[in-house]
Amino acid sequence: MSSSLTNFGYQQKELPVKVRNIGLALLLIGLVLAVIGYFVEPVRSMFNNIILLTFIISIGLGSLFFVALEYVTGAIWSVPFRRVMEFLAATLLIVPIIALPLLFNLHDIFHWTHPEVMKTDKLLAGKAPYLNEEFFIVRFLVFAALWILFYYAITLTSKKQDSTKETKLTRRNIKISAVFIPVFALTVSFTAIDWLMTLEPHWFSTIYGVYYFSGTVLAALAAGTYAIVSLNEKGYLLKGLDKDHYYSLGALLFAFVNFWAYIAFSQFLLIWYANLPEETIWFLQRWDGSWKYISILLMIVQFLVPYFGLLSQPSKKDGKKLKFFAVWILAAHYIDLYWLAMPTFSKEGFVLGWIELAYPILAVGIVVLVFSLKSKKSNFVAIGDPKLKRGIEFKL
Amino acid sequence: MSEKKLYSYTALFNTPDEIIHAVEKVSEKGYKNYDVNTPYPVHGMDGAMKLPPSKLGYIALVLGLSGMMAGLLMTYWMSAIDYPINIGGKPIFSFPAYIPIIFEITVLFAAVGTVLAMLLFFFKLPNNSHPLHGTNYMKAVSSDKFGISIQVDDKLFVKEEVINLFKELGSTEINPVYYDEVEINYKNKIFEPKFIMFLVVAFILTSGATYVTLNKLMFMVPFDWMSNQEKVIPQSKSMFYSDGFGMRTPVEGTIARGHIPYPYKGDLEAASAMPNPLLPTKENMKLGQQKYDTFCSLCHGYHGEGDSRLRGQFPNPPSLHSEKVRNWSDGSIYHVIMEGQNIMPAYSSQLTNDEKWAVILHLRALQRSLNAKETDLQ
């Protein structure tokens, strides 16, 4: 058997250096601005840092979830570009570094980190066993360690298969993925609760974790879709990836746009119906002053536009449209996180300055740089996967 | 069977790959009026047949949007116009509460409407015959063969060419299909009176059955347990009490709320010492005048001069402006109102305590109007 036949004619190509340089440049610009921002307005910077952290977790963890989901469900259509999602999941490795400045500034961000408040406030005193700095940091470190552990467990096995082509490696990854999915469910919920919900320690919503989960998967899918379609157009992936694969990606994006809206509306409807002051305060804050415009914008940007944009069948098969809506949805997810975190910092109305712009630049820089570094000297396609042939021939 | 006409030429293939290949060739040749029959949906067939995207999606979109509007109007009309109920202090038209309902109706309209549109317009439902029905070809493609049928009405149809094409493609069986023009009616039967009558009858039957089921068979008496309770009602019999009456007399010494028993019964002397507790305010004067006009003026006259309005049907009383009455204390007048005098009946139950005193205030004012004091003129 010739090697070209077993590898489905896959020719290893490396991303141009330009991509890495763009990533590096964005990262540096964002980093410099963020550092300056930290010295000018530390608290505001830290709130932006939370958005950045949760955004990167969204992309990294969501991508790893997508990979695990493929293994557990035995999906075939996504095998030809699973490796792309694995590269994106590598952003999880950066998560502890992004969280580092936050861990040193918890006092400025979280109301519950002040012991005198925790003693006097009866409601918070009841939450003290969970909401304390030591447990918070331990939680975060355990979560990050778990993510990185599962990231390496899954991707290293997958990479090993490129050369050995053993079927048992797929079986091993299925087992790892099956363990990872409940771990993912718990960690993603508690991450949302820890980093975003406890910004308002009195307030709680039982659906909050699911809300963040819907955004997480949506963001990871969008990032993956953009990367997959771009790489396929440039010929980095195998030939034969076609409209049916695009359609599946588009349909998943469309499904998760709906899922996000469904969860967001469920959260709103229950709180609105019950009309309890301790619950409605959170939405009232986001309807106060100029925050109202961000709330309305979010409904339009993260639901209505992508919904109608991706509704028709041809638009899901159109690479150009898919790329456009992928970028659009990533931006929408960033606005979503901004909407979740920032009202605690500025209650009167939304703030938009150079600090708010620095962090998205930093986020894009991180993702692009990590992606280009990870993909270096590595196959863009899991050429050893036993399902690959069927994956390429996948027809709807 | 001479009246039977040629409908099409059919060819059978053994595998899905063969049929896909055959269909690609047929559509390449430029044939338009042909159809493919397979025992199960073959992936990529619409691509091979070069079929345009189905129009059904647009129908679903339009129906879904109509459902959305219908849901919006329905929820609005029901809860904001027809039966507005205040729920938890929320606005009568609370849009967020209606979104789930609107969503459900959107889905219902789109789903049911799309299926009906598919059956009636795309499948031409009431038409139940097709030239391919009952042929050996149809029997074969219903079990394990893959067939293609090129119709005679195709512009490019030439019998020999079609047969040759099928042979080239490696078909195992090539057969013509004939049909009887009387049996096969291409016209859509949806607007035929017969079919419309069927719809009408079906509508009447289902709605009638629904009505009978819901309103007759499953009818339940409306909830009335609150009006029919196990409790004693006045004027009703009661087995509980020995005298059999439901209504009970109050316990000895019970006093009605706001009622003060009159302590000077038959004792004018003692009653005359009572002072008038009311001040001659504007409200009290007005109340006194109103009550005097209602209860006293019939006999005593509007101005207390004894000019009865009863035209002699009842003896006229003496004037209230007499020196005797003027010199009476307020308590004495109160006593007379309470107990009556001569043929004047008691007004104890017609007027409340305050009203009686207010009437006395008014009476004093009437007396002063005819017998003013020196000081009144200054």
Side-chain angles (χ1 to χ4, degrees), chain A residues 22-28 360-371:
Chain A
I22 289 172
L24 195 62
L26 288 173
L27 180 89
L28 287 177
I361 295 173
L362 186 56
V364 176
I366 288 172
V367 175
V368 172
L369 190 66
V370 168
F371 188 87

Side-chain angles (χ1 to χ4, degrees), chain B residues 128-150:
Chain B
N128 56 3
S129 55
H130 191 276
L132 292 178
H133 281 183
T135 58
N136 289 330
Y137 166 80
M138 191 45 81
K139 277 175 199 157
V141 297
S142 305
S143 56
D144 63 344
K145 293 277 193 265
F146 303 84
I148 181 166
S149 137
I150 299 181

Side-chain angles (χ1 to χ4, degrees), chain B residues 218-244:
Chain B
M218 291 169 65
F219 178 76
M220 277 187 285
V221 181
F223 164 81
D224 62 348
W225 312 312
M226 279 175 83
S227 55
N228 296 332
Q229 294 183 40
E230 294 274 325
K231 68 176 181 188
V232 180
I233 303 165
Q235 283 92 40
S236 66
K237 276 185 184 177
S238 169
M239 303 303 286
F240 185 76
Y241 300 108
S242 54
D243 58 2

Side-chain angles (χ1 to χ4, degrees), chain B residues 234-282:
Chain B
Q235 283 92 40
S236 66
K237 276 185 184 177
S238 169
M239 303 303 286
F240 185 76
Y241 300 108
S242 54
D243 58 2
F245 287 111
M247 187 147 63
R248 310 311 301 161
T249 47
V251 179
E252 197 80 22
T254 308
I255 295 172
R257 200 174 273 260
H259 175 77
I260 300 164
Y262 188 57
Y264 310 119
K265 269 182 189 163
D267 191 353
L268 179 65
E269 205 62 16
S272 65
M274 275 192 292
N276 190 338
L278 297 189
L279 292 172
T281 58
K282 210 173 175 183

Side-chain angles (χ1 to χ4, degrees), chain A residues 60-106:
Chain A
L61 202 55
S63 303
L64 195 58
F65 171 67
F66 186 81
V67 173
L69 203 62
E70 183 200 297
Y71 276 115
V72 169
T73 57
I76 290 161
W77 66 277
S78 59
V79 174
F81 38 79
R82 189 189 67 229
R83 191 52 59 73
V84 179
M85 300 305 275
E86 288 175 22
F87 294 153
L88 280 173
T91 47
L92 281 176
L93 305 174
I94 313 295
V95 163
I97 301 169
I98 301 169
L100 210 57
L102 288 168
L103 294 177
F104 287 109
N105 288 289
L106 291 178

